[in-house]
Amino acid sequence: MQLLFKKLWRFLAIHPIGAGHDEKLISTIGGFLAIFLILLVNHLLLAMPLNVGIIASMGASAVLLFALPKGPLSQPWSLIGGQIGSAFVGVTCALYIDDPIVAASAAVALSIAWMYYARCLHPPGGATALSAVLGFEASHSLSYQFVLTPVALDVAILLVVAVVFNRLFEWRAYPNIPPVAETSDSSKHFSHQDFIQVLGQIDAFVDINENDLLRIFELAGMHKTLPGMENADVRLGGIYSNGSMGKDWSLRQIVDESPDADPGKDFVIFRQVAGSQKKQTDCVTRAEFASWAAFEVEFDQGVWRKRHKEKG
């Protein structure tokens, strides 16, 4: 039975979602605000019924923009091109293909092709194309006006809310325009063309951008070769990482110290800078802190990076 359960677990591909409770709550609130405004505008301004299929498509877009704001599928061009372009495709199929089953199937298929070649892959676009054919009767009478209202209008509302709301939180800045920063020596030899060629060999879409991939590579390399710390490396004001990944990751800063020649009486006081550990502040010996710490870090261009020792 246990073996069968393990096989089922692997088949379903259930993976933990690397987000804390605060992040999940923020995503939830953002999604609520976006759909609330869209429904108000559609119902009060456009006098559209609340059961319109296009709303379901915008709900799917909201999941991407607020739960995965840094993902390539969530970026502005993916949202705009994927939703509006697919709406145009759907209306065209509805107008020129008589059989609704064929029209709906063609709408989804052609919207996929459009999003691939226009480089705006956005899964909810397929639902928008389908709504243009089967969603509600008004879409047929509106013809291409459907592309502007409600689709383009809803996209504009969703985009504005995503930009304003996500930027309230520094780590969720939207759209995701990561700085082109230097990476560790282990990843400097990878060029943009290298990634393009490798992705071409895989022949599949990868939902991660190049800068994020380099950052993951850098962090993985740091985690693999943790140098450890010596007592002398632990200094007042320094911020240190335990080198762990995921929910166990932690950053602590030395805020006070009482140096003593006796290692057993050489104490430091730290405060928690980041991480989910319960201890927010504590007093430990310098040796105990050094055994916990893996390396010193610094905040550089919006991300925490390993701080290299100054020569000399």
Side-chain angles (χ1 to χ4, degrees), residues 109-298:
L110 292 175
S111 69
I112 293 173
W114 153 255
M115 288 185 284
Y116 259 129
Y117 286 104
R119 302 170 74 175
C120 56
L121 198 59
H122 188 71
T128 297
L130 196 61
S131 295
V133 179
L134 303 177
F136 68 115
E137 295 180 2
S139 64
H140 299 277
S141 60
L142 285 172
S143 185
Y144 287 106
Q145 180 65 32
F146 174 79
V147 179
L148 297 177
T149 53
V151 177
L153 180 59
D154 290 351
V155 165
I157 295 171
L158 193 54
L159 185 58
V160 169
V161 175
V163 170
V164 174
F165 181 81
N166 284 320
R167 284 187 176 271
L168 294 176
F169 312 94
E170 183 180 355
W171 66 94
R172 292 174 62 95
Y174 179 88
N176 182 28
I177 309 175
V180 181
E182 288 189 5
T183 57
S184 63
D185 294 336
S186 59
S187 58
K188 281 181 179 177
H189 59 280
F190 291 110
S191 67
H192 172 74
Q193 192 59 34
D194 291 331
F195 282 104
I196 296 299
Q197 290 179 355
V198 170
L199 291 176
Q201 292 174 8
I202 295 175
D203 196 24
F205 180 81
V206 180
D207 187 14
I208 188 171
N209 63 50
E210 178 183 322
N211 290 278
D212 287 339
L213 192 59
L214 281 171
R215 180 65 181 151
I216 291 171
F217 183 87
E218 181 180 17
L219 289 172
M222 286 165 46
H223 180 68
K224 184 179 179 181
T225 58
L226 298 179
M229 302 289 293
E230 297 180 0
N231 290 6
D233 295 327
V234 179
R235 60 184 183 86
L236 182 63
I239 301 176
Y240 302 87
S241 169
N242 61 348
S244 296
M245 307 291 278
K247 64 181 179 66
D248 295 324
W249 174 74
S250 178
L251 293 183
R252 294 174 177 177
Q253 182 179 27
I254 303 297
V255 295
D256 200 359
E257 61 181 355
S258 57
D260 193 288
D262 184 353
K265 298 179 181 178
D266 184 9
F267 288 96
V268 296
I269 298 176
F270 70 82
R271 72 176 180 89
Q272 190 90 346
V273 176
S276 58
Q277 282 74 11
K278 293 182 179 179
K279 284 188 176 181
Q280 295 302 309
T281 183
D282 201 358
C283 179
V284 297
T285 65
R286 195 179 302 269
E288 288 173 333
F289 189 90
S291 66
W292 169 87
F295 46 80
E296 188 174 358
V297 298
E298 58 186 352

